[in-house]
Amino acid sequence: YSTLLLVSFCLLVKADQKEIYLNGKNWKLSDEAGRVKDIQATVPGITHMDLLEHGIIDDPYYGYNDEKLQWVAYSNWIYTLKFQLSRDDIDGKVLTLKCDGLDTVANISLNNHPVGYANNYFRRWLFNITKYAKSGDNTLMIRIES
């Protein structure tokens, strides 16, 4: 039985060590095939649990449901978060996105610019996002490949 784990920890770290936590329930989840579109997701979290919470799948731990839910494990998933940064947050600072627990293969982008690639769930990933972060609205996207 395959479960997609996304992010056990995701935050912005600035050169002065101020941290902005990006965890929570304000993430959106979609699959590339279009079966699931922008449902509320929790990070850290498990894709199956977000799908279950929204009534998209039955309990994966009941009976033989895991066999019916193979499509979840074989789908590419996109987690998206919109967040704000102030001018003070970015001016003259180096911004680093720190992620723990990214599922095995993940592509990370900020404001439609690729900022990193992860290929190991069991390590911490640091991505310099200084070049693409802006004051005001920012969009972080993490694409999990099946």
Side-chain angles (χ1 to χ4, degrees):
Y1 182 70
S2 175
T3 301
L4 295 175
L5 297 173
L6 175 65
V7 179
S8 64
F9 191 55
C10 195
L11 60 92
L12 290 174
V13 180
K14 300 183 184 144
D16 60 4
Q17 296 303 305
K18 177 181 175 186
E19 296 180 349
I20 301 171
Y21 288 87
L22 301 178
N23 296 344
K25 293 183 174 259
N26 40 354
W27 288 77
K28 297 293 182 189
L29 174 64
S30 301
D31 73 323
E32 284 189 341
R35 284 177 96 159
V36 177
K37 191 80 171 154
D38 290 332
I39 65 169
Q40 180 184 1
T42 302
V43 171
I46 301 171
T47 305
H48 285 82
M49 295 299 100
D50 290 321
L51 297 174
L52 178 63
E53 184 176 321
H54 291 283
I56 295 169
I57 63 171
D58 292 327
D59 185 345
Y61 302 112
Y62 179 79
Y64 294 101
N65 284 347
D66 62 328
E67 292 178 12
K68 295 188 290 185
L69 301 176
Q70 292 297 312
W71 66 271
V72 176
Y74 293 112
S75 296
N76 293 329
W77 293 96
I78 301 166
Y79 283 80
T80 306
L81 175 69
K82 293 184 185 295
F83 64 97
Q84 298 269 325
L85 292 173
S86 70
R87 187 60 70 203
D88 287 340
D89 289 331
I90 61 173
D91 280 349
K93 300 198 174 88
V94 174
L95 299 177
T96 302
L97 178 68
K98 178 170 74 171
C99 300
D100 290 332
L102 285 175
D103 201 3
T104 304
V105 179
N107 291 287
I108 299 89
S109 64
L110 180 65
N111 298 324
N112 294 315
H113 298 282
V115 294
Y117 171 81
N119 62 3
N120 184 342
Y121 175 83
F122 298 102
R123 63 161 283 192
R124 172 169 289 157
W125 294 94
L126 301 173
F127 306 105
N128 185 331
I129 60 169
T130 307
K131 184 175 178 181
Y132 302 115
K134 59 184 182 177
S135 69
D137 294 332
N138 288 271
T139 302
L140 177 64
M141 183 170 34
I142 301 176
R143 180 182 177 270
I144 306 290
E145 295 182 22
S146 64

